[in-house]
Amino acid sequence: MLLIAALAAFLLWCIGIAGKNQPIAKQVRVNSSSKRDPYSVIFLARLLLRQPAFRLLPNQIWQSLTTINPYIESLLDA
């Protein structure tokens, strides 16, 4: 069960990172003048998945995975 939960959280993280710069992400954003993102990427992914017009291309998911590559490489070099 923990493995399934971890996989679901990782998938939501990938969707959130990929969907962060989509136009529909700006529509679900709260009215905030703050410079930082109002939602965590996992919560943003949950919001975006509930939108009927939200679609991601496979290359957008792949690009979200490239953000984790430097972290993994730093762990392997240590």
Side-chain angles (χ1 to χ4, degrees), residues 14 17-19 22 55-67:
C14 289
I17 291 291
Q22 298 293 321
R55 298 286 183 264
L56 282 177
L57 299 174
N59 65 346
Q60 292 170 323
I61 297 280
W62 184 256
Q63 287 174 348
S64 72
L65 291 174
T66 61
T67 62

Side-chain angles (χ1 to χ4, degrees), residues 15-29 41-56:
I15 292 170
I17 291 291
K20 194 183 334 186
N21 296 325
Q22 298 293 321
I24 198 164
K26 292 176 180 63
Q27 292 176 356
V28 298
R29 184 181 171 134
V41 291
I42 293 176
F43 186 74
L44 177 64
R46 291 180 61 200
L47 286 176
L48 291 175
L49 287 174
R50 293 182 186 266
Q51 302 298 316
F54 178 67
R55 298 286 183 264
L56 282 177

